[in-house]
Amino acid sequence: DCQLTLCATELRQNLSYCRDYILIGNFLVMVLFPLLLLGLLNGHIYHVLSQSSRRSSIKGRDKRDQRIATILVTIVIIFGCCNIPRVTINLFEVFHLAVEGTMEITPWPAWCEVVSIISTILLVFNSSINIIIYCWKDKTFRDLLYYKLGISNGIGNGDYLHNER
């Protein structure tokens, strides 16, 4: 019978390190700041694009701008959703640290194991989904990507791409 056991290092059991790393390093720097920055910048872009489309009749360029704005909002939402499980585990650890005064959580709750696996899958998904979203929602991006990769997509002749040289 073989069992896998994970043992926390002395540093991982240090209360100051856990509080500072989990709360400040992991949550603020890796989740909150990027989410706020993505939200603010993409919100500004979305606002500018929606203002420009209101001033003029909807033309081809404006429709593309609206698609891109939708893509940006989608990426922010996906980022937020994919980070919820990781933030949940981090908050559980910080809460446990604040209430119990120790990081020793024995046994590690089964829900944490499940959420940890889901979190890993979602973080990998979040890291790889953006290009798929751009290819799915933006034909110009997709055609340019095919062109740059030297792949013929078999749709149209792509003359507008050759003018870029």
Side-chain angles (χ1 to χ4, degrees):
D1 200 1
C2 181
Q3 282 191 322
L4 177 64
T5 331
L6 296 177
C7 300
T9 64
E10 189 177 319
L11 180 62
R12 181 68 168 109
Q13 293 175 353
N14 180 295
L15 298 180
S16 297
Y17 168 78
C18 289
R19 180 194 60 232
D20 297 345
Y21 173 75
I22 291 172
L23 186 59
I24 296 169
N26 217 358
F27 178 69
L28 295 178
V29 175
M30 298 297 291
V31 177
L32 188 62
F33 180 69
L35 187 60
L36 286 175
L37 193 62
L38 274 172
L40 288 172
L41 292 175
N42 287 330
H44 178 69
I45 292 170
Y46 188 82
H47 177 72
V48 168
L49 291 176
S50 66
Q51 291 295 336
S52 71
S53 66
R54 282 189 198 136
R55 281 188 236 127
S56 62
S57 62
I58 296 181
K59 300 173 188 163
R61 177 77 180 169
D62 290 335
K63 285 182 182 178
R64 181 166 189 265
D65 286 350
Q66 287 178 341
R67 280 194 314 272
I68 289 172
T70 303
I71 290 169
L72 295 175
V73 169
T74 303
I75 287 171
V76 172
I77 291 169
I78 289 173
F79 177 85
C81 292
C82 287
N83 279 279
I84 287 173
R86 183 172 65 94
V87 170
T88 303
I89 291 174
N90 289 349
L91 290 175
F92 171 73
E93 284 184 293
V94 169
F95 177 76
H96 191 274
L97 173 66
V99 171
E100 301 292 327
T102 178
M103 282 305 298
E104 209 164 302
I105 304 171
T106 347
W108 187 249
W111 72 266
C112 284
E113 291 292 335
V114 172
V115 171
S116 182
I117 292 167
I118 292 169
S119 172
T120 303
I121 292 167
L122 286 175
L123 291 175
V124 170
F125 173 78
N126 183 58
S127 297
S128 55
I129 193 67
N130 291 354
I131 194 163
I132 295 168
I133 293 170
Y134 276 109
C135 287
W136 171 49
K137 296 294 280 180
D138 189 6
K139 183 182 178 334
T140 304
F141 177 85
R142 186 173 52 246
D143 289 344
L144 185 58
L145 179 65
Y146 286 145
Y147 173 72
K148 291 292 187 183
L149 294 175
I151 300 171
S152 171
N153 65 0
I155 302 173
N157 59 10
D159 285 340
Y160 66 95
L161 296 176
H162 298 288
N163 294 335
E164 141 189 351
R165 289 183 189 170

